[in-house]
């Protein structure tokens, strides 16, 4: 077992990981940038070390500074959290070569799943259903046109190095595609340093369903059911829930089988998430795999009563998975609202600044993962996520009622947040009956403007 873990992250996820370490009896190292001296995660760490200046590139993304910090503090493992270096294969490789355990899958698997074209190819070989589209990279606009007319419009262009929506273009005709192809290429080049594009049929109004898995280093893989993440704005999830209102036991079994089959095929050995699209006819398609612990992992922790971060750490330390698939029970309902320091009335503009007063919701069936407190100053350099409110109930209606009262309890002054917006969404008549898909938020926002 590890004796000391360096948590290469900040905010709520750094705290989440340190809590797991404490329960496992593992010492923690907290890292911070110069503008993060007053960050709450440092209070949770056994020791702390500065890793550079405020911009992420010079601190939380600075590989040499983080490796040095791990060596100076004699840490035997690094937990990357999510974002920053969590899915950087080079970073995982450097950890491996320095004898520091990267808490996550092998660099080989991170690299494979980071290439969205190769990821699809390997999952196809594993027997998973793929979204219809071109095989591999589309190199020219002529090739794009031929492929688009073969799979038929509408189509979507995606970046090979993308994921999470950047560099995507939906096209309904040849004329549009010719323009979109060039702009998608340059956007991908700008964002990822790689202009490679692939093409898929654009599914209209699908649901985004993802399956949480855990795999150990001995070939054991189990799944923890699905999360419905269809409530997204500009590819940022805002609300997630489990179980999905659109998934019955039969479909859940199929999702779980696909996810496990995919993970086994690549000898995956950590926590991970398989993302699928579910179309209106009930067809499932593999989309991509995330090789990290995700923001929304608490939804699954609360529905299954399993500590995923502790499991992830134990597996990285070489332990065998003790849980079997039959041990995983999905009962009741769980919903999560992401609270961002953004102004929904002003196009979700980030609203950094001082929190003069803050009261966090609590009480029965509520979990809040956060790093904010009265007097905390939100720096403008990082992600705008400041809290996750997770509500559970014996059924979806009860979970929604508990979420509604928890959001009423949440006080943050004077920063603008997504609290009131989340409250409006969970009280929407269609959302209340589970009638929503990935188009929901855009339509909701359009109706609001009227
Ligand atoms: C799609 C899709 C429809 N068809 N792919 C991929 C990343 C994720 N954040 C959104 N993604 C999508 N991929 C195919 N073949 C629909 C989405 C999608 C979406 C697309 C455009 C605008 C808003 C969207 C919201 C959720 C999902």
């Amino acid at each position: 077992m590890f004796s000391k873990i360096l948590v290469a992250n900040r905010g709520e996820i750094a705290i989440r990981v340190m809590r797991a370490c404490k329960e496992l009896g593992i010492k923690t190292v907290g890292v911070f940038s110069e503008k993060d001296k007053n960050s709450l995660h440092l209070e949770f760490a056994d020791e702390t070390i500065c890793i550079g200046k405020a911009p992420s590139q010079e601190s939380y993304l600075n590989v040499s500074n983080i490796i040095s910090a791990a060596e100076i503090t004699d840490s035997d493992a690094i937990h990357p959290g999510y974002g920053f270096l969590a899915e950087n294969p080079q970073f995982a490789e450097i950890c491996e070569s320095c004898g520091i355990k990267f808490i996550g899958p092998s660099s080989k698997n991170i690299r494979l799943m980071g290439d969205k074209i190769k990821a699809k190819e390997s999952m196809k070989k594993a027997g998973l259903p793929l979204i219809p589209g071109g095989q591999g990279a589309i190199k020219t606009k002529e090739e794009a046109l031929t492929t688009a007319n073969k799979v038929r419009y509408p189509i979507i262009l995606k970046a090979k190095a993308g994921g999470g929506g950047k560099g995507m273009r939906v096209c309904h005709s040849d004329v549009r595609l010719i323009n979109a192809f060039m702009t998608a290429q340059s956007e991908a080049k700008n964002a990822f340093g790689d202009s490679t594009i692939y093409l898929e049929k654009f599914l209209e109004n699908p649901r985004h369903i993802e399956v949480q898995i855990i795999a150990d280093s001995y070939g054991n893989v189990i799944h923890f059911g699905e999360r419905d993440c269809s409530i997204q704005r500009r590819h940022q999830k805002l609300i997630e829930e489990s179980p999905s209102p659109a998934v019955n036991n039969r479909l859940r079994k199929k999702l779980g089988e696909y996810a496990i089959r995919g993970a086994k095929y690549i000898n995956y050995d950590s926590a991970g998430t398989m993302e699928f699209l579910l179309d209106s006819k009930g067809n499932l398609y593999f989309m991509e795999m995330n090789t990290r612990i995700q923001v929304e992992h608490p939804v699954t922790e609360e529905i299954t009563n399993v500590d995923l971060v502790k499991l992830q750490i134990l597996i990285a330390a070489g332990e065998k998975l003790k849980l079997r698939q039959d041990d995983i029970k999905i009962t009741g309902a769980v919903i999560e609202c992401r609270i961002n320091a953004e102004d929904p009335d002003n196009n979700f503009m980030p609203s950094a600044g001082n929190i003069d007063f803050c009261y966090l919701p609590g009480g029965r069936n509520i979990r809040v993962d956060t790093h904010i407190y009265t007097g905390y100053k939100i720096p403008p350099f990082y992600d705008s996520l400041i809290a996750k409110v997770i509500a559970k109930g014996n059924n979806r209606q009860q979970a929604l009622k508990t979420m509604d009262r928890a959001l009423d309890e949440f006080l943050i002054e004077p920063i603008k947040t997504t609290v009131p917006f989340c409250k409006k969404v969970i009280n929407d008549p269609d959302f209340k009956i589970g009638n929503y898909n990935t188009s929901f938020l855009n339509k909701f926002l359009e109706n609001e403007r009227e």
Side-chain angles (χ1 to χ4, degrees):
M1 180 49 58
F2 306 125
S3 43
K4 198 192 275 186
I5 294 176
L6 181 140
V7 181
N9 215 303
R10 62 182 304 281
E12 67 85 19
I13 193 62
I15 294 175
R16 169 70 192 89
V17 173
M18 289 172 190
R19 283 176 165 148
C21 292
K22 206 154 281 182
E23 289 182 24
L24 291 169
I26 303 168
K27 293 261 182 292
T28 58
V29 178
V31 298
F32 64 102
S33 74
E34 284 175 10
K35 282 285 154 64
D36 258 346
K37 283 196 178 78
N38 296 322
S39 279
L40 191 61
H41 71 281
L42 303 175
E43 302 300 316
F44 283 73
D46 293 300
E47 58 188 299
T48 65
I49 182 164
C50 183
I51 50 163
K53 296 194 185 301
S56 303
Q57 287 294 347
E58 296 172 50
S59 49
Y60 299 102
L61 286 171
N62 187 314
V63 173
S64 5
N65 290 8
I66 289 171
I67 296 286
S68 301
E71 303 211 301
I72 290 164
T73 56
D74 203 21
S75 302
D76 31 29
I78 295 181
H79 196 301
Y82 54 69
F84 295 130
L85 298 169
E87 286 170 295
N88 183 321
Q90 267 171 318
F91 178 65
E93 216 164 61
I94 291 167
C95 289
E96 285 162 14
S97 71
C98 290
I100 301 165
K101 176 65 194 174
F102 175 83
I103 302 179
S106 63
S107 57
K108 198 169 140 278
N109 275 336
I110 299 174
R111 188 170 284 116
L112 177 65
M113 291 298 131
D115 178 332
K116 303 304 168 182
I117 295 174
K118 286 216 179 87
K120 284 183 74 173
E121 276 167 12
S122 58
M123 290 305 107
K124 186 184 179 169
K125 285 188 198 145
L128 272 62
L130 301 187
I131 303 166
Q135 307 277 329
I138 305 281
K139 294 193 185 68
T140 62
K141 56 181 189 296
E142 290 74 25
E143 194 185 341
L145 287 169
T146 317
T147 312
N149 284 285
K150 206 156 61 201
V151 309
R152 306 181 71 82
Y153 290 101
I155 62 96
I156 184 166
L157 301 174
K158 295 185 178 180
K160 166 185 114 153
K166 259 214 186 116
M168 291 185 1
R169 285 283 184 289
V170 179
C171 302
H172 288 80
S173 69
D174 284 352
V175 179
R176 296 293 177 87
L177 177 56
I178 293 164
N179 284 305
F181 186 70
M182 308 292 281
T183 56
Q185 272 187 326
S186 63
E187 200 176 307
K189 181 82 191 167
N190 263 324
F192 315 109
D194 184 333
S195 63
T196 314
I197 296 292
Y198 64 103
L199 185 155
E200 289 176 345
K201 177 143 189 100
F202 180 68
L203 306 176
E204 314 235 32
N205 312 322
R207 293 180 88 117
H208 173 129
I209 309 282
E210 59 185 33
V211 181
Q212 177 73 53
I213 59 136
I214 292 241
D216 69 13
S217 311
Y218 308 91
N220 305 299
V221 188
I222 58 175
H223 77 87
F224 297 78
E226 79 284 2
R227 295 183 289 256
D228 195 318
C229 304
S230 302
I231 304 294
Q232 315 183 356
R233 185 190 158 271
R234 302 218 176 139
H235 311 296
Q236 293 288 346
K237 295 162 187 167
L238 191 67
I239 298 178
E240 305 102 345
E241 65 173 313
S242 184
S244 166
V247 174
N248 58 25
N249 285 331
R250 188 183 52 78
L251 196 55
R252 179 165 307 111
K253 193 154 174 271
K254 198 153 108 180
L255 277 162
E257 280 168 8
Y258 285 153
I260 290 172
R261 203 188 303 165
K264 283 191 172 165
Y265 186 79
I266 60 171
N267 295 315
Y268 196 77
D269 66 346
S270 186
T273 301
M274 302 284 216
E275 294 189 346
F276 297 87
L277 289 181
L278 175 66
D279 74 12
S280 44
K281 292 182 200 120
N283 300 309
L284 272 178
Y285 306 94
F286 168 81
M287 188 161 58
E288 55 187 77
M289 182 181 191
N290 300 321
T291 57
R292 61 178 187 276
I293 193 84
Q294 286 183 278
V295 174
E296 60 271 27
H297 78 277
V299 172
T300 302
E301 293 190 320
E302 296 305 314
I303 200 82
T304 59
N305 204 23
V306 171
D307 188 322
L308 295 170
V309 178
K310 270 208 246 176
L311 269 187
Q312 184 192 28
I313 294 168
L314 289 170
I315 279 162
E319 285 206 11
K320 250 190 191 148
L321 201 53
K322 290 188 190 80
L323 287 170
R324 311 267 245 102
Q325 190 60 54
D326 289 347
D327 298 324
I328 308 305
K329 298 275 189 296
I330 286 138
T331 49
V334 175
I335 181 159
E336 170 177 278
C337 287
R338 293 194 191 188
I339 310 307
N340 299 325
E342 294 172 356
D343 181 3
D345 294 329
N346 195 0
N347 201 27
F348 291 81
M349 264 250 284
S351 61
N354 201 67
I355 299 177
D356 295 339
F357 179 76
C358 153
Y359 179 81
L360 300 174
R364 190 165 139 78
N365 292 334
I366 284 293
R367 165 176 172 182
V368 182
D369 282 18
T370 185
H371 59 287
I372 66 167
Y373 57 87
T374 295
Y376 176 61
K377 191 172 179 190
I378 303 167
F381 303 100
Y382 314 107
D383 200 273
S384 65
L385 182 86
I386 54 167
K388 305 186 300 206
V389 179
I390 303 109
K392 63 180 166 190
N394 292 332
N395 56 53
R396 190 169 183 270
Q397 288 319 308
Q398 285 181 10
L400 287 176
K401 279 196 175 138
T402 300
M403 178 62 83
D404 195 39
R405 72 100 179 132
L407 294 177
D408 280 339
E409 288 177 19
F410 208 149
L411 305 178
I412 308 171
E413 296 292 340
I415 301 296
K416 292 271 192 290
T417 73
T418 49
V419 168
F421 186 75
C422 285
K423 202 173 142 64
K424 279 187 267 181
V425 173
I426 63 158
N427 285 295
D428 175 89
D430 277 319
F431 185 79
K432 266 187 165 169
I433 59 168
N435 180 26
Y436 66 88
N437 57 46
T438 49
S439 309
F440 179 92
L441 257 199
N442 275 342
K443 284 184 194 147
F444 185 90
L445 286 164
E446 276 170 34
N447 289 336
E448 252 200 333
R449 275 198 289 273
E450 275 172 12

